[in-house]
Amino acid sequence: MSSSPARAGGALEDQAEANVEETGRGTWRHAAFHVATTIATPAAYAPLPFAVASLGWPLGVCSLVIGTLVTWCSSLVVASLWRWNGEKHTNYRLLAESIFGPWGYWYVSFFQQVASVGNNIAIQIAAGSSLKAVYKHYHTADDGAMTLQQFILVFGALELLLSQLPDIHSLRWVNAICTASTVGFAGTTIGVTIYDGYRIERKGISYSLQGSTATKIFRAFNALGTIAFSFGDAMLPEIQSTVREPVRANMYRGISSAYTIIVVSYWTLAFSGYWAFGSQVQPYILSSLTAPRWATVMANLFAVIQIAGCFQIYCRPTFAHFEERIQAKKKRSCRSCLCRLTYTSAYMAVITLVSAAMPFFGDFVSVCGAIGFTPLDFVLPALALLKTRTMPDNPGLQCAVKMLGAAVAILFSIIGALACIGAIRSIALDVKTYKFFHDM
């Protein structure tokens, strides 16, 4: 007996809805919002002038340019591997497992968690610092002043509320606002930086590397980790799974659009910040800005708004581990909502506690860049390209791509190790200098 037209039509509609859900609903613009929000955070912008100052003009400029080109190409490589073997890979862990086997799954699981947790600790410190800067603009008395730890706690409460949104696609409008805030932050900070640069007596500005030989070397290692952090994006397959067909084309367009914003703003702020303040530039550029005060307040507010969205993108890999076990992703019942509130509260408690206890922004940025983002955004895409053999047909180009991929994997493995050494040394020195829960 044949099925009725109504039933057949309903089956087709259900299948269509399932296909939309499976392939994603986001446009290339949504992909650009997510990528820009994930990479171009104030916590990524803010330490770049300090990183360039730690390396000097020649090495600083070269490191920033190379970092931009390598991560842009790596992002396109990861996007190209969507369904590389005919299967859909909705997250980085599954993509790595399909290419490298079980060790790829656990490799990405470890480094993605390091990158996600480290990133969120660093940006929560940055958000607390920006909130405190806005507060100090209006509250000039020392008596009864709120501490950095209290502002970190306030930001943590906001993130707990946003953490109840179910998935990345549900953050699309939040991230659209955050992308606008990224442009606002970059424009305001660059403008104030150049303004301050012209106000400062230029004869007093030095561009020489500071400290002893050992200090210069370790600060240079630290700076490499900072630059790696600034281009960190350990979430591309997760973002790509929210994009509609044609997935690859939309993702390529979204990545390139996001990088257009990133290149213009990163390079301008990094170079203008170092030019304006020289070797005395602070690890968080907003701490170096002086006037006009209203513009500094605006830059700090833009920073908080943008960080709010970025934090949500990076907490999703951790949430996914819980969701896979309790299977609460599809069933939006009261019980699943309560479970979600429980594990998001536990996550926020841990991140907030660490951020408040050790508010060493620059150190966490470097550690996260060295241990988390370098393996995922520089090394793994190059290895994946070699493993999957998605090469050009021309033999000469094939050889060139293989040599370049191997060189990138080896070079950035070394850079990651050196940056890790520099970051751990900086944390050890800061722990000796400051007490836990120090009001920076």
Side-chain angles (χ1 to χ4, degrees), residues 13-94:
E13 289 176 4
D14 291 343
Q15 183 64 37
E17 289 177 2
N19 289 338
V20 169
E21 184 67 28
E22 192 174 4
T23 58
R25 295 167 289 171
T27 66
W28 68 267
R29 293 181 182 85
H30 295 147
F33 293 155
H34 293 319
V35 173
T37 299
T38 306
I39 299 177
T41 68
Y45 282 104
L48 283 176
F50 183 76
V52 175
S54 299
L55 295 167
W57 277 119
L59 188 56
V61 171
C62 290
S63 298
L64 193 57
V65 172
I66 291 171
T68 304
L69 294 175
V70 171
T71 51
W72 176 57
C73 293
S74 296
S75 297
L76 294 177
V77 167
V78 173
S80 73
L81 296 175
W82 175 259
R83 293 188 188 175
W84 74 276
N85 59 351
E87 298 178 4
K88 296 175 183 177
H89 310 292
T90 56
N91 60 55
Y92 214 157
R93 289 172 287 131
L94 296 179

Side-chain angles (χ1 to χ4, degrees), residues 355-376:
S355 302
M358 296 189 293
F360 312 135
F361 170 74
D363 298 341
F364 276 109
V365 162
S366 187
V367 166
C368 183
I371 303 178
F373 289 121
T374 300
L376 291 177

Side-chain angles (χ1 to χ4, degrees), residues 29-327:
R29 293 181 182 85
H30 295 147
F33 293 155
H34 293 319
V35 173
T37 299
T38 306
I39 299 177
T41 68
Y45 282 104
L48 283 176
F50 183 76
V52 175
S54 299
L55 295 167
W57 277 119
L59 188 56
V61 171
C62 290
S63 298
L64 193 57
V65 172
I66 291 171
T68 304
L69 294 175
V70 171
T71 51
W72 176 57
C73 293
S74 296
S75 297
L76 294 177
V77 167
V78 173
S80 73
L81 296 175
W82 175 259
R83 293 188 188 175
W84 74 276
N85 59 351
E87 298 178 4
K88 296 175 183 177
H89 310 292
T90 56
N91 60 55
Y92 214 157
R93 289 172 287 131
L94 296 179
L95 175 61
E97 184 179 33
S98 72
I99 298 172
F100 301 104
W103 80 264
Y105 180 92
W106 294 111
Y107 176 99
V108 170
S109 294
F110 174 76
F111 287 114
Q112 194 176 51
Q113 289 302 318
V114 171
S116 300
V117 172
N119 177 82
N120 281 355
I121 291 172
I123 65 177
Q124 187 158 356
I125 296 169
S129 299
S130 288
L131 286 172
K132 183 180 177 182
V134 174
Y135 171 77
K136 288 178 68 177
H137 177 72
Y138 297 102
H139 188 281
T140 56
D142 292 332
D143 296 337
M146 294 178 67
T147 65
L148 173 61
Q149 282 67 31
Q150 290 172 307
F151 287 108
I152 289 175
L153 186 62
V154 169
F155 184 78
L158 170 63
E159 290 304 322
L160 178 59
L161 180 63
L162 291 176
S163 294
Q164 306 317 305
L165 294 172
D167 52 33
I168 290 177
H169 187 67
S170 65
L171 296 166
R172 61 193 181 280
W173 297 115
V174 174
N175 286 342
I177 296 170
C178 292
T179 301
S181 297
T182 297
V183 177
F185 172 83
T188 305
T189 306
I190 290 167
V192 177
T193 297
I194 294 173
Y195 178 81
D196 280 357
Y198 279 110
R199 289 179 63 252
I200 297 172
E201 176 59 46
R202 303 308 303 167
K203 292 181 180 179
I205 300 299
S206 171
Y207 297 102
S208 61
L209 300 179
Q210 303 294 308
S212 63
T213 301
T215 299
K216 291 176 184 177
I217 292 172
F218 283 111
R219 282 186 65 181
F221 291 168
N222 219 8
L224 295 175
T226 298
I227 291 174
F229 175 90
S230 297
F231 291 100
D233 182 8
M235 299 288 297
L236 273 177
E238 285 82 350
I239 293 172
Q240 193 164 1
S241 67
T242 70
V243 178
R244 67 176 61 157
E245 295 287 354
V247 177
R248 282 197 186 95
N250 283 330
M251 199 63 186
Y252 293 157
R253 193 174 178 184
I255 289 170
S256 297
S257 299
Y259 264 83
T260 301
I261 298 172
I262 291 166
V263 167
V264 172
S265 52
Y266 269 31
W267 292 7
T268 307
L269 181 58
F271 303 147
S272 64
Y274 185 33
W275 164 79
F277 304 108
S279 302
Q280 301 304 313
V281 66
Q282 297 297 309
Y284 193 54
I285 184 66
L286 296 183
S287 300
S288 296
L289 305 182
T290 56
R293 293 186 66 186
W294 64 267
T296 304
V297 169
M298 185 182 297
N300 278 290
L301 289 175
F302 279 135
V304 174
I305 295 170
Q306 205 285 338
I307 289 172
C310 177
F311 191 103
Q312 284 303 306
I313 294 287
Y314 276 103
C315 65
R316 299 295 158 162
T318 306
F319 294 169
H321 282 284
F322 292 100
E323 289 166 354
E324 288 169 0
R325 284 161 176 75
I326 65 176
Q327 296 181 346

Side-chain angles (χ1 to χ4, degrees), residues 81 84 99 383-392 398 402:
L81 296 175
W84 74 276
I99 298 172
L383 295 177
L385 181 65
L386 297 173
K387 180 73 172 178
T388 57
R389 299 182 179 179
T390 51
M391 302 286 180
Q398 280 188 15
K402 287 179 180 179

